[in-house]
Coordinates of all heavy atoms in Angstrom, one line a residue:
M113 N 9.7 -2.5 10.4 CA 9.2 -2.9 11.8 C 10.4 -3.1 12.6 O 11.4 -3.7 12.2 CB 8.4 -4.2 11.7 CG 7.9 -4.7 13.0 SD 6.5 -6.0 12.8 CE 7.5 -7.3 12.8
K114 N 10.5 -2.6 13.8 CA 11.6 -2.8 14.7 C 11.7 -4.2 15.2 O 10.7 -5.0 15.4 CB 11.4 -1.8 15.8 CG 11.5 -0.4 15.4 CD 11.3 0.5 16.7 CE 11.2 1.9 16.2 NZ 10.9 2.9 17.3
N115 N 13.0 -4.7 15.3 CA 13.1 -6.2 15.7 C 12.6 -6.6 17.0 O 12.1 -7.7 17.1 CB 14.7 -6.4 15.8 CG 15.3 -6.3 14.5 OD1 14.7 -6.5 13.5 ND2 16.6 -6.0 14.4
H116 N 12.3 -5.6 17.9 CA 11.7 -6.0 19.2 C 10.2 -5.9 19.2 O 9.6 -6.4 20.1 CB 12.3 -5.2 20.4 CG 11.9 -3.7 20.3 ND1 12.5 -2.8 19.4 CD2 10.8 -3.0 20.8 CE1 11.9 -1.6 19.6 NE2 10.9 -1.7 20.4
E117 N 9.6 -5.4 18.2 CA 8.1 -5.4 18.1 C 7.6 -6.7 17.5 O 8.1 -7.2 16.4 CB 7.7 -4.2 17.2 CG 7.9 -2.9 17.8 CD 7.4 -1.7 17.0 OE1 6.6 -2.1 16.0 OE2 7.9 -0.7 17.1
V118 N 6.6 -7.2 18.2 CA 6.1 -8.5 17.7 C 4.9 -8.2 16.7 O 4.7 -8.7 15.7 CB 5.5 -9.4 18.8 CG1 4.9 -10.7 18.3 CG2 6.8 -9.7 19.7
W119 N 4.1 -7.3 17.1 CA 2.9 -6.9 16.3 C 2.9 -5.4 15.8 O 3.4 -4.6 16.6 CB 1.6 -7.0 17.1 CG 1.3 -8.4 17.6 CD1 1.7 -8.8 19.0 CD2 1.0 -9.6 17.0 NE1 1.5 -10.2 19.0 CE2 1.0 -10.6 17.9 CE3 0.7 -9.8 15.6 CZ2 0.6 -12.0 17.4 CZ3 0.2 -11.0 15.2 CH2 0.2 -12.1 16.2
R120 N 2.4 -5.3 14.6 CA 2.4 -3.9 14.2 C 1.1 -3.2 14.8 O 0.1 -3.8 15.1 CB 2.2 -3.8 12.7 CG 3.4 -4.2 12.0 CD 3.1 -4.1 10.5 NE 4.5 -4.4 9.8 CZ 4.4 -5.2 8.7 NH1 3.3 -5.8 8.2 NH2 5.6 -5.4 8.1
R121 N 1.1 -1.9 14.9 CA 0.0 -1.2 15.5 C -1.2 -1.3 14.4 O -2.4 -1.3 14.8 CB 0.2 0.3 15.9 CG 1.2 0.4 17.0 CD 1.5 1.7 17.4 NE 2.5 1.7 18.3 CZ 2.7 2.7 19.1 NH1 2.2 3.8 19.0 NH2 3.7 2.6 20.1
M122 N -0.9 -1.2 13.2 CA -1.8 -1.2 12.0 C -1.4 -2.3 11.1 O -0.1 -2.3 10.7 CB -1.9 0.1 11.4 CG -2.9 0.1 10.2 SD -3.3 1.5 9.3 CE -4.3 2.3 10.6
P123 N -2.2 -3.2 10.6 CA -1.8 -4.2 9.7 C -1.3 -3.5 8.4 O -1.9 -2.4 8.0 CB -3.1 -4.9 9.4 CG -3.9 -4.7 10.5 CD -3.6 -3.3 11.0
L124 N -0.3 -4.1 7.7 CA 0.2 -3.6 6.5 C -0.8 -3.3 5.5 O -0.9 -2.3 4.8 CB 1.3 -4.5 5.9 CG 2.0 -4.1 4.5 CD1 2.7 -2.7 4.8 CD2 3.0 -5.1 4.1
H125 N -1.7 -4.3 5.3 CA -2.7 -4.1 4.2 C -3.6 -2.9 4.4 O -4.1 -2.3 3.5 CB -3.5 -5.4 4.1 CG -4.4 -5.8 5.3 ND1 -5.6 -5.4 5.4 CD2 -4.0 -6.6 6.4 CE1 -6.1 -5.8 6.5 NE2 -5.2 -6.6 7.1
R126 N -4.0 -2.6 5.8 CA -4.8 -1.5 6.1 C -4.0 -0.1 5.7 O -4.6 0.7 5.2 CB -5.2 -1.5 7.5 CG -6.0 -0.4 8.0 CD -7.4 -0.3 7.3 NE -8.1 0.9 7.8 CZ -9.3 1.2 7.5 NH1 -10.1 0.3 6.9 NH2 -9.8 2.2 7.9
A127 N -2.8 0.0 6.2 CA -2.0 1.1 5.9 C -1.9 1.3 4.4 O -2.0 2.4 4.0 CB -0.7 1.1 6.6
V128 N -1.6 0.3 3.7 CA -1.4 0.5 2.1 C -2.8 0.9 1.5 O -2.8 1.9 0.8 CB -1.0 -0.9 1.5 CG1 -1.2 -0.9 0.1 CG2 0.3 -1.3 2.0
L129 N -3.8 0.4 2.0 CA -5.2 0.8 1.5 C -5.5 2.3 1.8 O -5.8 3.1 0.9 CB -6.3 0.0 1.9 CG -7.6 0.3 1.4 CD1 -7.6 0.1 -0.1 CD2 -8.8 -0.7 2.1
E130 N -5.1 2.7 3.1 CA -5.4 4.1 3.4 C -4.5 5.1 2.6 O -5.1 6.1 2.2 CB -5.1 4.3 5.0 CG -6.2 3.7 5.8 CD -6.0 4.0 7.3 OE1 -5.1 4.9 7.7 OE2 -6.7 3.5 8.1
I131 N -3.3 4.7 2.5 CA -2.4 5.6 1.5 C -3.0 5.7 0.2 O -3.1 6.8 -0.5 CB -1.0 5.1 1.6 CG1 -0.5 5.3 3.0 CG2 -0.1 5.8 0.6 CD1 1.1 4.6 3.1
I132 N -3.4 4.5 -0.4 CA -3.8 4.5 -1.8 C -5.2 5.4 -1.9 O -5.4 6.1 -2.9 CB -4.0 3.1 -2.3 CG1 -2.7 2.5 -2.4 CG2 -4.8 3.1 -3.7 CD1 -2.7 0.9 -2.6
L133 N -6.0 5.1 -0.9 CA -7.4 6.0 -1.0 C -7.1 7.4 -0.8 O -7.9 8.2 -1.4 CB -8.2 5.4 0.2 CG -8.8 4.0 -0.1 CD1 -9.5 3.6 1.3 CD2 -9.8 4.0 -1.1
S134 N -6.1 7.9 -0.1 CA -5.7 9.3 0.0 C -5.1 9.8 -1.1 O -4.9 11.0 -1.2 CB -4.9 9.5 1.2 OG -3.6 9.0 1.1
R135 N -4.7 9.1 -2.1 CA -4.1 9.6 -3.4 C -4.8 9.0 -4.6 O -4.4 8.0 -5.2 CB -2.6 9.2 -3.4 CG -1.9 10.0 -2.3 CD -0.5 9.6 -2.2 NE 0.3 10.5 -1.4 CZ 0.1 10.7 0.0 NH1 -0.9 10.0 0.6 NH2 0.7 11.6 0.8
P136 N -5.9 9.6 -5.0 CA -6.7 9.1 -6.2 C -5.9 9.3 -7.5 O -6.2 8.4 -8.4 CB -7.9 9.9 -6.1 CG -7.6 11.2 -5.4 CD -6.6 10.7 -4.4
E137 N -5.0 10.0 -7.5 CA -4.1 10.2 -8.8 C -3.1 9.1 -8.9 O -2.4 8.8 -9.9 CB -3.3 11.5 -8.7 CG -2.2 11.6 -7.8 CD -2.7 12.0 -6.3 OE1 -3.8 12.2 -6.2 OE2 -1.7 12.1 -5.6
G138 N -2.9 8.3 -7.9 CA -1.9 7.2 -7.9 C -0.7 7.6 -7.1 O -0.5 8.6 -6.8
I139 N 0.0 6.5 -6.9 CA 1.2 6.6 -6.0 C 2.4 5.7 -6.5 O 2.0 4.5 -6.8 CB 0.9 6.4 -4.5 CG1 2.2 6.8 -3.6 CG2 0.5 5.1 -4.2 CD1 2.0 6.9 -2.2
A140 N 3.6 6.1 -6.6 CA 4.7 5.4 -7.0 C 5.0 4.4 -5.9 O 4.8 4.7 -4.6 CB 5.8 6.2 -7.3
E141 N 5.6 3.2 -6.2 CA 5.9 2.3 -5.2 C 6.9 2.8 -4.2 O 6.7 2.5 -3.0 CB 6.6 1.0 -6.1 CG 7.1 0.0 -5.2 CD 7.8 -1.1 -6.0 OE1 7.9 -0.9 -7.2 OE2 8.4 -1.9 -5.4
S142 N 7.9 3.5 -4.7 CA 8.9 4.1 -3.7 C 8.3 5.1 -2.8 O 8.6 5.1 -1.6 CB 10.2 4.7 -4.6 OG 9.5 5.7 -5.3
K143 N 7.4 5.9 -3.2 CA 6.7 6.9 -2.3 C 5.8 6.1 -1.4 O 5.6 6.5 -0.3 CB 5.8 7.8 -3.3 CG 5.0 8.8 -2.4 CD 6.0 9.9 -1.9 CE 5.2 11.0 -1.3 NZ 6.0 11.8 -0.5
L144 N 5.1 5.0 -1.8 CA 4.3 4.2 -0.9 C 5.1 3.6 0.3 O 4.8 3.7 1.4 CB 3.7 3.1 -1.6 CG 2.8 2.1 -0.8 CD1 1.7 2.8 -0.1 CD2 2.3 1.0 -1.8
I145 N 6.3 3.1 0.0 CA 7.3 2.6 0.9 C 7.7 3.7 1.9 O 7.7 3.5 3.2 CB 8.4 1.9 0.3 CG1 8.0 0.7 -0.5 CG2 9.6 1.5 1.3 CD1 9.1 0.0 -1.4
D146 N 7.9 4.9 1.3 CA 8.4 6.1 2.3 C 7.4 6.4 3.2 O 7.5 6.7 4.3 CB 8.8 7.3 1.4 CG 10.0 7.0 0.5 OD1 10.9 6.1 0.9 OD2 10.4 7.7 -0.4
L147 N 6.0 6.5 2.6 CA 4.9 7.0 3.4 C 4.6 5.8 4.5 O 4.2 6.2 5.6 CB 3.8 7.2 2.6 CG 3.7 8.5 1.9 CD1 2.6 8.6 0.9 CD2 3.8 9.7 2.8
L148 N 4.8 4.6 4.3 CA 4.5 3.5 5.2 C 5.5 3.7 6.4 O 5.1 3.5 7.6 CB 4.7 2.2 4.6 CG 3.6 1.6 3.7 CD1 4.1 0.3 2.9 CD2 2.4 1.4 4.5
K149 N 6.8 4.1 6.1 CA 7.8 4.3 7.1 C 7.5 5.6 7.9 O 7.4 5.6 9.2 CB 9.1 4.4 6.5 CG 9.8 3.1 6.1 CD 11.1 3.3 5.5 CE 11.7 2.2 4.8 NZ 13.0 2.4 4.2
K150 N 7.1 6.7 7.1 CA 7.0 8.0 7.8 C 5.7 8.0 8.5 O 5.7 8.7 9.7 CB 7.0 9.0 6.7 CG 6.9 10.4 7.3 CD 7.0 11.5 6.0 CE 6.8 12.9 6.5 NZ 6.6 13.7 5.4
E151 N 4.6 7.7 7.9 CA 3.3 7.9 8.6 C 2.8 6.8 9.6 O 2.1 7.0 10.4 CB 2.2 8.1 7.5 CG 2.5 9.5 6.8 CD 1.3 9.8 5.8 OE1 0.3 9.0 5.9 OE2 1.5 10.6 5.0
Y152 N 3.3 5.7 9.3 CA 2.8 4.3 10.0 C 3.9 3.7 10.9 O 3.6 2.8 11.6 CB 2.1 3.4 9.2 CG 0.9 4.0 8.6 CD1 0.8 4.6 7.4 CD2 -0.4 4.0 9.2 CE1 -0.2 5.2 6.7 CE2 -1.5 4.6 8.6 CZ -1.4 5.2 7.4 OH -2.6 5.7 6.9
G153 N 5.1 4.0 10.6 CA 6.3 3.4 11.2 C 6.4 1.9 10.8 O 7.0 1.2 11.5
I154 N 6.1 1.5 9.6 CA 6.1 0.2 9.1 C 7.2 0.1 8.2 O 7.2 0.9 7.1 CB 4.8 -0.2 8.4 CG1 3.6 -0.1 9.3 CG2 4.9 -1.4 7.7 CD1 2.2 -0.5 8.8
E155 N 8.1 -0.8 8.4 CA 9.2 -1.0 7.5 C 8.8 -2.4 6.8 O 8.6 -3.4 7.6 CB 10.5 -1.1 8.1 CG 11.0 0.3 8.5 CD 12.4 0.4 9.0 OE1 13.2 -0.5 8.6 OE2 12.6 1.2 9.9
T156 N 8.7 -2.5 5.6 CA 8.3 -3.8 4.9 C 9.2 -4.2 4.0 O 10.0 -3.5 3.5 CB 6.8 -3.6 4.3 OG1 6.4 -4.9 3.8 CG2 6.9 -2.6 3.2
T157 N 9.2 -5.6 3.6 CA 10.0 -6.1 2.6 C 9.3 -6.0 1.3 O 8.1 -5.9 1.3 CB 10.3 -7.6 2.9 OG1 9.1 -8.4 2.8 CG2 11.0 -7.8 4.3
T158 N 10.1 -6.0 0.2 CA 9.3 -6.0 -1.1 C 8.3 -7.2 -1.3 O 7.3 -7.0 -1.7 CB 10.5 -5.9 -2.2 OG1 11.3 -4.8 -2.1 CG2 9.8 -5.9 -3.6
P159 N 8.8 -8.3 -1.0 CA 7.8 -9.5 -1.2 C 6.5 -9.4 -0.4 O 5.4 -9.6 -0.8 CB 8.7 -10.7 -0.8 CG 10.0 -10.4 -0.9 CD 10.1 -8.9 -0.6
E160 N 6.7 -8.8 0.8 CA 5.5 -8.6 1.7 C 4.7 -7.6 1.1 O 3.4 -7.7 1.1 CB 5.9 -8.2 3.1 CG 4.9 -8.0 4.1 CD 5.5 -7.7 5.5 OE1 6.6 -7.1 5.7 OE2 4.8 -8.1 6.5
L161 N 5.2 -6.4 0.6 CA 4.4 -5.3 0.1 C 3.8 -5.9 -1.2 O 2.5 -5.6 -1.5 CB 5.3 -4.2 -0.4 CG 4.6 -3.0 -1.0 CD1 3.5 -2.5 -0.2 CD2 5.6 -1.9 -1.5
Y162 N 4.5 -6.6 -2.1 CA 3.9 -7.1 -3.3 C 2.8 -8.1 -3.1 O 1.9 -8.2 -3.9 CB 5.0 -7.8 -4.2 CG 5.9 -6.8 -4.9 CD1 7.0 -7.3 -5.6 CD2 5.8 -5.5 -4.8 CE1 7.9 -6.4 -6.3 CE2 6.7 -4.7 -5.5 CZ 7.7 -5.1 -6.2 OH 8.6 -4.2 -6.8
S163 N 2.9 -8.9 -2.0 CA 1.8 -9.8 -1.7 C 0.5 -9.0 -1.4 O -0.6 -9.4 -1.8 CB 2.1 -10.6 -0.5 OG 1.1 -11.4 0.0
V164 N 0.6 -8.1 -0.6 CA -0.5 -7.2 -0.3 C -1.1 -6.4 -1.6 O -2.3 -6.5 -1.9 CB -0.2 -6.0 0.7 CG1 -1.3 -5.0 0.8 CG2 0.2 -6.6 2.0
L165 N -0.2 -5.9 -2.5 CA -0.7 -5.3 -3.6 C -1.3 -6.2 -4.6 O -2.3 -6.1 -5.2 CB 0.6 -4.6 -4.3 CG 1.1 -3.4 -3.7 CD1 2.3 -3.0 -4.3 CD2 0.1 -2.3 -3.4
M166 N -0.8 -7.5 -4.7 CA -1.3 -8.5 -5.6 C -2.8 -8.8 -5.1 O -3.6 -9.1 -6.0 CB -0.4 -9.8 -5.6 CG -0.8 -10.8 -6.7 SD 0.3 -12.2 -6.7 CE 1.7 -11.5 -7.0
K167 N -3.0 -9.1 -3.8 CA -4.2 -9.4 -3.3 C -5.3 -8.3 -3.6 O -6.4 -8.6 -4.1 CB -4.3 -9.6 -1.8 CG -3.6 -10.8 -1.5 CD -3.3 -11.0 0.1 CE -2.6 -12.3 0.5 NZ -2.4 -12.4 1.9
Y168 N -4.9 -7.0 -3.5 CA -5.8 -6.0 -3.8 C -6.1 -5.9 -5.3 O -7.2 -5.7 -5.7 CB -5.2 -4.6 -3.3 CG -5.5 -4.4 -1.9 CD1 -4.6 -3.7 -1.1 CD2 -6.7 -4.7 -1.3 CE1 -4.7 -3.5 0.2 CE2 -6.7 -4.6 0.1 CZ -5.8 -3.9 0.9 OH -6.1 -3.5 2.2
E169 N -5.0 -6.2 -6.1 CA -5.2 -6.1 -7.6 C -6.2 -7.3 -8.0 O -7.0 -7.1 -8.9 CB -3.9 -6.1 -8.4 CG -4.1 -5.9 -9.8 CD -2.7 -5.8 -10.4 OE1 -1.7 -6.3 -9.9 OE2 -2.6 -5.2 -11.6
L170 N -5.9 -8.4 -7.4 CA -6.8 -9.6 -7.9 C -8.3 -9.4 -7.4 O -9.0 -10.0 -8.0 CB -6.2 -10.9 -7.3 CG -4.8 -11.3 -8.0 CD1 -4.4 -12.5 -7.3 CD2 -5.1 -11.6 -9.4
S171 N -8.4 -8.7 -6.4 CA -9.7 -8.4 -5.7 C -10.4 -7.2 -6.5 O -11.5 -6.9 -6.3 CB -9.6 -8.1 -4.2 OG -9.2 -9.1 -3.6
G172 N -9.7 -6.6 -7.4 CA -10.3 -5.5 -8.2 C -10.3 -4.2 -7.5 O -11.0 -3.3 -8.0
I173 N -9.6 -4.0 -6.5 CA -9.5 -2.8 -5.7 C -8.4 -1.8 -6.3 O -8.7 -0.6 -6.2 CB -9.2 -3.1 -4.2 CG1 -10.4 -3.9 -3.6 CG2 -9.0 -1.9 -3.4 CD1 -10.1 -4.5 -2.3
I174 N -7.4 -2.2 -6.8 CA -6.3 -1.4 -7.3 C -6.0 -1.8 -8.7 O -6.3 -3.0 -9.1 CB -5.1 -1.3 -6.4 CG1 -4.3 -2.7 -6.3 CG2 -5.5 -0.8 -5.0 CD1 -3.0 -2.6 -5.7
T175 N -5.2 -0.9 -9.3 CA -4.6 -1.3 -10.6 C -3.1 -1.0 -10.4 O -2.8 -0.1 -9.7 CB -5.1 -0.5 -11.9 OG1 -4.9 0.9 -11.7 CG2 -6.6 -0.9 -12.0
V176 N -2.3 -1.8 -11.0 CA -0.8 -1.6 -10.9 C -0.3 -1.5 -12.3 O -0.4 -2.4 -13.1 CB -0.2 -2.7 -10.1 CG1 1.4 -2.4 -10.0 CG2 -0.7 -2.7 -8.7
E177 N 0.5 -0.5 -12.6 CA 1.1 -0.2 -13.9 C 2.6 -0.1 -13.7 O 3.0 0.5 -12.7 CB 0.5 1.1 -14.5 CG -0.8 1.2 -14.8 CD -1.2 2.5 -15.2 OE1 -0.5 3.3 -15.8 OE2 -2.4 3.0 -15.0
H178 N 3.4 -0.6 -14.7 CA 4.8 -0.5 -14.7 C 5.1 0.7 -15.4 O 4.9 0.9 -16.6 CB 5.3 -1.7 -15.3 CG 6.8 -1.9 -15.1 ND1 7.8 -1.7 -16.0 CD2 7.5 -2.2 -14.0 CE1 9.0 -1.8 -15.5 NE2 8.7 -2.2 -14.3
V179 N 5.8 1.6 -14.7 CA 6.2 2.9 -15.2 C 7.6 3.2 -14.9 O 8.0 3.2 -13.7 CB 5.3 4.1 -14.5 CG1 5.8 5.5 -15.1 CG2 3.8 4.0 -14.7
G180 N 8.4 3.2 -15.9 CA 9.9 3.3 -15.7 C 10.4 2.0 -14.9 O 10.2 1.0 -15.3
K181 N 11.1 2.3 -13.8 CA 11.7 1.3 -13.0 C 10.8 0.8 -11.8 O 11.3 -0.1 -11.2 CB 13.0 1.7 -12.6 CG 14.0 2.0 -13.5 CD 15.4 2.4 -12.9 CE 16.5 2.6 -13.9 NZ 17.8 2.9 -13.4
E182 N 9.6 1.4 -11.7 CA 8.8 1.0 -10.6 C 7.3 0.9 -11.0 O 7.0 1.0 -12.1 CB 9.0 1.9 -9.4 CG 8.7 3.3 -9.6 CD 9.0 4.2 -8.4 OE1 9.2 3.6 -7.3 OE2 9.1 5.5 -8.5
F183 N 6.6 0.7 -10.0 CA 5.0 0.5 -10.2 C 4.3 1.8 -9.9 O 4.7 2.4 -8.8 CB 4.5 -0.6 -9.5 CG 5.0 -2.0 -9.9 CD1 6.0 -2.6 -9.2 CD2 4.8 -2.5 -11.2 CE1 6.5 -3.8 -9.5 CE2 5.2 -3.7 -11.6 CZ 6.1 -4.4 -10.7
L184 N 3.3 2.1 -10.6 CA 2.3 3.1 -10.2 C 1.0 2.5 -9.7 O 0.4 1.6 -10.5 CB 2.1 4.1 -11.4 CG 1.0 5.1 -11.2 CD1 1.7 6.2 -10.1 CD2 0.7 5.9 -12.3
I185 N 0.6 2.7 -8.5 CA -0.5 2.0 -7.9 C -1.8 3.0 -7.8 O -1.5 4.1 -7.3 CB -0.2 1.5 -6.5 CG1 1.1 0.6 -6.6 CG2 -1.3 0.8 -5.8 CD1 2.1 0.9 -5.6
K186 N -2.9 2.6 -8.4 CA -4.0 3.4 -8.3 C -5.2 2.7 -7.9 O -5.4 1.5 -8.1 CB -4.3 4.0 -9.7 CG -3.3 4.9 -10.3 CD -3.9 5.3 -11.8 CE -2.9 6.4 -12.4 NZ -3.4 6.8 -13.7
L187 N -6.2 3.5 -7.4 CA -7.4 2.8 -7.0 C -8.2 2.4 -8.3 O -8.2 3.2 -9.3 CB -8.4 3.8 -6.2 CG -9.6 3.3 -5.6 CD1 -9.2 2.2 -4.6 CD2 -10.5 4.4 -4.9
A188 N -8.8 1.3 -8.5 CA -9.3 0.7 -9.6 C -10.7 1.6 -9.8 O -11.3 2.0 -8.9 CB -9.7 -0.7 -9.6
P189 N -11.1 1.9 -11.1 CA -12.3 2.7 -11.2 C -13.5 2.1 -10.6 O -14.2 2.8 -10.0 CB -12.4 2.7 -12.8 CG -11.1 2.4 -13.3 CD -10.3 1.5 -12.3
Q190 N -13.6 0.8 -10.7 CA -14.8 0.1 -10.1 C -14.8 0.2 -8.6 O -15.9 0.0 -7.8 CB -15.0 -1.3 -10.6 CG -14.0 -2.2 -10.2 CD -12.8 -2.3 -11.2 OE1 -12.6 -1.4 -12.0 NE2 -12.1 -3.4 -11.1
A191 N -13.7 0.4 -8.0 CA -13.6 0.5 -6.4 C -14.0 1.9 -5.8 O -14.1 2.1 -4.8 CB -12.2 0.2 -6.2
Y192 N -14.1 2.9 -6.8 CA -14.4 4.2 -6.2 C -15.8 4.2 -5.6 O -15.9 4.7 -4.5 CB -14.5 5.2 -7.5 CG -13.1 5.7 -7.8 CD1 -12.5 5.3 -9.0 CD2 -12.4 6.7 -7.1 CE1 -11.2 5.8 -9.4 CE2 -11.2 7.2 -7.3 CZ -10.7 6.7 -8.6 OH -9.3 7.2 -8.9
T193 N -16.8 3.5 -6.2 CA -18.1 3.5 -5.6 C -18.0 2.7 -4.2 O -18.8 3.0 -3.3 CB -19.1 2.9 -6.5 OG1 -18.7 1.5 -6.8 CG2 -19.3 3.7 -7.7
Q194 N -17.1 1.8 -4.2 CA -17.1 0.9 -3.0 C -16.5 1.6 -1.8 O -17.0 1.4 -0.7 CB -16.3 -0.3 -3.2 CG -16.1 -1.2 -2.1 CD -15.2 -2.5 -2.5 OE1 -14.7 -2.7 -3.4 NE2 -14.9 -3.2 -1.4
F195 N -15.6 2.5 -2.1 CA -14.9 3.2 -1.0 C -15.4 4.7 -0.9 O -15.0 5.4 0.2 CB -13.4 3.1 -1.2 CG -12.9 1.8 -0.9 CD1 -12.5 1.1 -2.1 CD2 -12.8 1.3 0.3 CE1 -12.0 -0.2 -1.8 CE2 -12.2 0.0 0.5 CZ -11.9 -0.7 -0.6
S196 N -16.3 5.1 -1.6 CA -16.8 6.5 -1.5 C -18.0 6.5 -0.6 O -18.8 5.6 -0.8 CB -17.1 7.2 -2.8 OG -18.1 6.6 -3.5
A197 N -18.2 7.4 0.3 CA -19.3 7.5 1.3 C -18.8 7.5 2.7 O -17.8 7.0 3.1 CB -20.4 6.4 1.1

């Protein structure tokens, strides 16, 4: 986020969810950060991103796996029915 901007055009949690929904095979943490910058103009901190991911994981919307040095984020199997249609 640019220093002079007070509000984002789209909330971080919504942008994260849209990216995850568009990639059913999963997305790496670094790729998610890149897409947030490229597609939504959102620059986020790691703690801010992890907070959003943790809320979605605790709600059963996503699963997060540790793969190598980063995380792989996928839509949880039970969430497919919630978001399809």
Side-chain angles (χ1 to χ4, degrees):
M113 186 164 83
K114 296 177 183 172
N115 291 335
H116 66 278
E117 291 181 18
V118 176
W119 301 102
R120 292 182 175 136
R121 293 181 185 197
M122 178 179 284
L124 176 62
H125 65 90
R126 176 65 186 196
V128 167
L129 185 59
E130 284 188 7
I131 292 170
I132 293 169
L133 288 173
S134 71
R135 291 178 171 65
E137 70 281 358
I139 186 167
E141 174 188 358
S142 61
K143 181 70 173 170
L144 176 61
I145 292 169
D146 290 343
L147 287 174
L148 285 168
K149 287 179 191 174
K150 181 180 176 184
E151 293 184 14
Y152 297 94
I154 296 175
E155 293 188 31
T156 184
T157 63
T158 302
E160 187 178 26
L161 178 61
Y162 286 179
S163 175
V164 169
L165 294 175
M166 189 179 305
K167 287 177 185 176
Y168 281 144
E169 188 172 25
L170 291 173
S171 297
I173 296 172
I174 66 168
T175 60
V176 179
E177 302 172 25
H178 195 252
V179 179
K181 293 183 178 182
E182 62 183 342
F183 295 110
L184 179 65
I185 302 132
K186 293 183 180 181
L187 191 62
Q190 64 271 20
Y192 280 105
T193 56
Q194 181 179 356
F195 292 104
S196 64

